[in-house]
Amino acid sequence: MPAFSGGQLEAICRVLADTNSGLTGSEIGHILYAKGISDPSPEMTKWKRLYSALVERQNLDKHGNCVFAFIARALEPARNLGRGELYHAMLGDLNVTLSYLGYKFCEDGKFHTCKQTNTFTEAESRAKRMYELLVQRGTHPDVLTYCRAELLQDDCFHAVLEVCKSVAVKIRERTGLDSDGASLIRDVFGGTSPILRINGLQSETEKGEQRGFVNLATGLFGTFRNPTAHEAKIIWPLSEVDALDFFLSHHMFTEESTVQLWFKTISSAKLHISLGED
């Protein structure tokens, strides 16, 4: 792996050892020990301590393998369960710096190659362009919570996938069911006595609205979830324009985007107490 410049390494250490969201001092020491990296200045502030250890080892090795190894251990998905948005924020900030070397670290716990960034302006632009646009357009907070890291990395393919997965997560959280995809939609919103009801189901119009939501949500999984989940990105490319269409396209009967409508409807739907039985 290529070596990092002093400035790049400092930026990485500041993120990893951030006072509010980064590693604790004991975690830094543990990972350094586990990776066989000496800890010459344990008395320093966290980011300086980490920088001292990594720059010494990188200078000795003449390559950046030790830095990549430390990042992989620190951001190992299993170690960060329950950290949610803090983990995603750290991932996004680190990937801005990693992009200078043509790499990014993903939630599968592996490094992947990406377009190499050549200037600070380019890196910042790539990292924040889509996210800021979605914020300006009033995108539902749940959407941004689930795909923040992917948007900060300008990773359109996985941003769409994460939002699609989050629809299923939100439904499962509300109902306790463990099915997925179109089956989950039908189990929860379908039938004559649905578990989640988007209205009172008193008139034929209301019943038709419920059936329409089932079709709309099922279409989401068929159009985006299935291709993005099962096809490699190189086989099913998703451009920034395609992703923006997905996030911002408006439902024909409302002023809200279709994604907004999904999240608001799932959040406000009434849970049928008998869970499907009259």
Side-chain angles (χ1 to χ4, degrees), residues 82-97:
R83 297 192 71 229
E85 193 160 345
L86 287 176
Y87 175 71
H88 289 157
M90 182 184 293
L91 197 63
D93 290 340
L94 276 174
N95 280 330
V96 171
T97 300

Side-chain angles (χ1 to χ4, degrees), residues 242-273:
D242 293 332
L244 288 173
D245 282 344
F246 169 75
F247 288 119
L248 300 177
S249 61
H250 281 64
H251 187 260
M252 67 180 72
F253 299 121
T254 74
E255 292 300 317
E256 299 175 307
S257 73
T258 304
V259 173
Q260 300 266 70
L261 181 63
W262 285 324
F263 277 92
K264 287 187 66 175
T265 302
I266 293 168
S267 298
S268 62
K270 294 182 179 180
L271 182 66
H272 190 42
I273 296 175

Side-chain angles (χ1 to χ4, degrees), residues 45 71-72 95 106 146 149 153 165 175 202 235 246 248 258 269:
T45 57
I71 292 172
N95 280 330
C106 297
Y146 281 104
Q153 296 166 39
K165 289 194 299 185
T175 64
Q202 297 301 305
I235 299 175
F246 169 75
L248 300 177
T258 304

